[in-house]
Each structure stands twice: as structure tokens, then as C-alpha cells.
Amino acid sequence: MRATRWLLAYLAAVVAVTFIHAPWLLAALLVLALAASGAGRWRIARRAVLAVLTFNLTVSLGYAAVSLWQGNFSVVYLLLVNLRVLLMVYLGFWFVARVNLLEAVRFSPTLGFVVTLAAGQIEAFARALRDFRLAFASRNAAAPALSARARHAAAQAGHLLDKSVCMAAETALAMRSRGAFDDYAGLPSPACVRGPGGEVGPVWRPRRPGVVTAYKKP
Amino acid sequence: MIELNGIRYAWPDAPTVLDGVSLSVREGEKLVLLGANGSGKSTLLKLMNGLIAPQTGSYSYCGEAVTPARLKQGAFARRFRSEVVLLFQHPEAMLFNPTVRDEIAYGPRQLGLPDAVARAEHWAAALGLAPLLDAQPFSLSGGQKQKLALAAILALEPRLLLLDEPVASLDPRASGWLVDFLLDCGKTVVTSTHNLSMASELGERAFVLGEGGRLLFDGPLQDALRDRALLEAANLVHRHRHRHGGDTHAYMHAHTHSHDWESSR
């Protein structure tokens, strides 16, 4: 229950942060969160900064370009957006580092499935990414050109996309095979098929059109 | 050629994979790295390729220490990366160029070698990829990708080949070709596998890694394959039931290689 309370506290904190419009208050909360998160604070902070860096830079540069062109650039707004995103991501990483997510969602088996699947996917993707990074380092006797880096990034993205699609399809099939989807809800009860000699054959369940199952009508 | 002393390594947020591993590799040797899944074979090969640095222990190549700092020095990195190459277990991780030709020529081009394209065409022909020179690497089959990744590293004409489960995704014909190639290539080769039926074909000396990431054996491969207690400790053999006609019995299976068609003559 303790983990569930942390989950609720985290969700409440994230919602509360969206209602704060003063950058100084967000900065103070960020400092407070840093102070409260103990020995691992700099590791969490580093992860949070790395996670938001590309997104925040792109959005900030886009905002700066458009607002300067329109003549309504505001440093306060820029700070507000960046601090808010950073604080929310920091809270997320802090929560994950502190609380066992599976424990936190124990009240809901469905959420448990989702968290388990997500954790499995994250682990598989982290390994694939690490292999891509090391393989690229291994194949470069000299510093790679920017074009080679770009090609490598594109190949990596393509591979991960393929992998995620394959994994999603495989996971869905595996879940269906283990009965996670109720394909037969509202349909007639299973019927036993009898052979010509009266012997009981395999159980046949009628299928909804378009639903792929392991059962086949004998 | 290679010296590892008291190597310990753990991936971030994970238990220790390699624990106190010490070994040496001499020029021209064909070595087989045996171990069950998760025993640290891939990690050890990555370490030998200088991609990861041990938390404790030392690693040297041709008498020179291999450290992250040394690998940042251009001349050493250039020499090391062109002489010591690694074939990854999943070859997709190594492929990122638009065509097979570019993929093989990438390494030589990076070294500024004038015959990069000629090397690409030579190694493509040697590995049966010549008809695919203009194909996209990601459109190839698993076995073809494996061959392409191998061609890409061979084009550098390395001194030491590190191969991570190279026959795992190859069909029997391609596996046979690879075994013949490795025996004839005249290079130092370290091949990892958990497939005992292939191991005896891949080298003369074996390193056996146990499940705790410890080196259990370093010696002649045939001795390792005959040592049932060692193979059992390394989780490389198992006891399971066999059926011969109506008779069922259970015993340890080492699955060493035998030429059935020859012995039945």
C-alpha cells in the first residue's frame, strides 16, 4: 500500500506542477526535490536533463524564433516551460528510482500487465541501443564523419521501429494465446464435436469474424 | 598478443558478469570461448575489443595497455580498431550503410585506404555476396546479414577476430563454410559459443566460463569436451531422457560432434 500511496502522491505532484505559473516557485520546488531525493540525486538529475535536452532545446529554439519574429519574446515563459518539463521528468525518475512500480500498481492486474510489458520492452530496447552504440564504436577506427553518424542514427531508429512493431505483434499474440483477450465474450458456449463413432473430438468455439485464434473449426 | 589479468566487470545496475578472469591469447591461435547463456561470453569479447573497460584488472594488446584513455589517442585507436575486430551476436547492430558495397567499404574508407571498393568487391565475392553488392543491408536475410557483417570486418584485414556466436543464425551450409574459412584464414580467432557440437570445429584451445562469470578452464579444447564435471559446472551439458525404440533412459548429454555418416560406413 505504501508504494500505491507514493504513486498517488507522484500523480498529484505532476498535476499540481501544471498549475504553477511562477518560474521561481518551480525552481524552488526543483531544488526541494533535489534536496529530498538523497544520495542518488545527481544521477537522477543527469538522467532527467539528458532525457529532456533534445525536446526542450527544440521547443525553446522554436519558441524563441517565432516569438522574436512576432515581437513578444518572454524569458519568463521560456524559463517556465523548461523548468516545468524538467521538474516533471525529475519527479518521474525519482519516483521510479524510489518505488517499485509493480508494487504500486498491484491494485490493478491490468496495470500490472502493462507495467510488466513496458519494463520488458524497455530492457530489450536498452540492450539493443547499447549494442548499436558499441558496434558503431567498434567499426570506427577514426572519428566518424557527421554523415556516418546520421546514417547510423537512422539505421538504429529504423531497427528499433521494426523491433517495436514485431515485439508488439508478438506480445499481442502471446497474450491472446494465454487468454488475456476475451475473444468469446457474448458468444455461445463451447460445443463438443462428436465423431462418426460418437467419440468426443476437440472443443470447438465459434469465432468472431476476423479474430485469429489457435482454435479451428474441425 | 592479448593479456587479461584479474578482470572484473558488471554492467550498470546489474550483477557481476566477469569475476577475476585472467587469460592470454597468442598470435595465430584459434580459441573457443565456451559458456552457457549469461555466463559473460559477449561481455568478455566486448572487453577484448576495448568497447568496455573493466572495473578492476588490466588488459593489454601486444604489450600496450588498452584503456579508455589510450583509445582516445588517435594513432593507437586507429591501429587497435583496425587490427582487433568484433562480429556482434546480432549483426543488425553493425549495419548502417545504404548498400552492401558501402557497408564493406566503410572501414577501409575510414582508414583512407585507396582500394576500399576493390576490397569490398573481393570480400563480397569471397562470402557469396557479390550479387547483392547494390542491395540494402536491411533487406538481407539473417544469414546474409551475418556474412555481410563478417565481410565488413574482414575488409580491414585484422589480426585478431572476435566472433560472438557466429554460427547461431547461420544455416548448416553457411556454418560449414564459416568453419572452413576460420580454419584457413591464418588469423588469430576467438569464437564464443555454447554449441558443443560446433566447438570442436572452431579451435584447439578453450576457455570455459562458469555461470558466475569465472574462468573455469583454460586448456586444450578436447580436454574440456571430455571433462563432464567441468561441462556440468558450466551448464553446458544436461541430463535428459532419450528414447530408443521402446526403451527410455536418461543420462548426461555433452553433444560433442561426431561424423555419423562416416562412423556408419
Side-chain angles (χ1 to χ4, degrees), chain A residues 6-200:
Chain A
W6 276 111
L7 175 64
L8 293 174
Y10 162 71
L11 292 174
V14 168
V15 173
V17 165
T18 61
F19 286 102
I20 298 172
H21 302 289
W24 66 268
L25 190 53
L26 288 171
L29 286 172
L30 190 58
V31 171
L32 198 67
L34 268 168
S37 42
R41 65 174 68 93
W42 298 119
R43 197 162 52 90
I44 299 171
R46 184 173 170 274
R47 289 174 82 176
V49 169
L50 286 177
V52 302
L53 196 64
T54 312
F55 174 79
N56 276 24
L57 262 179
T58 311
V59 171
S60 299
L61 287 174
Y63 166 74
V66 171
S67 58
L68 282 172
W69 180 48
Q70 292 177 340
N72 56 4
F73 177 73
S74 161
V75 179
V76 174
Y77 181 73
L78 201 60
L79 270 175
L80 177 75
V81 171
N82 280 293
L83 281 170
R84 183 179 284 157
V85 173
L86 184 60
L87 178 58
M88 286 164 93
V89 173
Y90 185 90
L91 289 175
F93 281 128
W94 181 23
F95 170 73
V96 172
R98 189 187 169 95
V99 178
N100 181 341
L101 205 51
L102 273 173
E103 193 71 31
V105 297
R106 184 159 283 184
F107 61 89
S108 160
T110 309
L111 277 176
F113 287 147
V114 172
V115 169
T116 307
L117 288 174
Q121 294 249 0
I122 288 167
E123 180 64 24
F125 276 71
R127 281 182 186 207
L129 273 173
R130 190 175 66 199
D131 260 13
F132 262 91
R133 185 173 55 77
L134 293 178
F136 191 59
S138 172
R139 288 201 62 197
N140 281 287
L146 200 61
S147 57
R149 285 179 193 276
R151 279 202 307 276
H152 178 255
Q156 188 172 287
H159 176 75
L160 290 182
L161 189 65
D162 270 0
K163 195 177 167 76
S164 69
V165 171
C166 283
M167 279 171 77
E170 283 285 294
T171 304
L173 286 176
M175 287 179 73
R176 170 160 282 134
S177 124
R178 296 186 65 195
F181 306 131
D182 189 1
D183 293 330
Y184 310 107
L187 292 173
S189 303
C192 283
V193 179
R194 290 193 179 272
E199 72 277 18
V200 178

Side-chain angles (χ1 to χ4, degrees), chain B residues 145-224:
Chain B
K145 282 180 189 167
Q146 187 91 332
K147 284 186 171 184
L148 173 57
L150 186 61
I153 57 173
L154 287 171
L156 289 168
E157 293 179 2
R159 288 173 68 187
L160 172 59
L161 277 168
L162 306 167
L163 309 175
D164 194 357
E165 304 267 7
V167 290
S169 60
L170 294 182
D171 55 47
R173 187 188 298 158
S175 302
W177 175 87
L178 183 67
V179 167
D180 289 345
F181 171 79
L182 293 178
L183 291 178
D184 296 338
C185 71
K187 297 180 189 299
T188 313
V189 185
V190 181
T191 311
S192 80
T193 184
H194 61 255
N195 183 344
L196 297 186
S197 64
M198 288 303 295
S200 57
E201 310 288 332
L202 295 168
E204 309 95 36
R205 189 174 149 209
F207 298 130
V208 180
L209 281 171
E211 288 183 294
R214 288 184 167 275
L215 190 64
L216 300 180
F217 179 88
D218 175 1
L221 177 64
Q222 291 306 323
D223 290 357

Side-chain angles (χ1 to χ4, degrees), chain A residues 131 137-142 151, chain B residues 46 49 94 97 103 106 110:
Chain A
D131 260 13
S138 172
R139 288 201 62 197
N140 281 287
R151 279 202 307 276
Chain B
K46 282 170 183 152
N49 196 219
M94 299 175 66
N97 285 287
E103 196 66 71
Y106 178 80
Q110 232 210 355

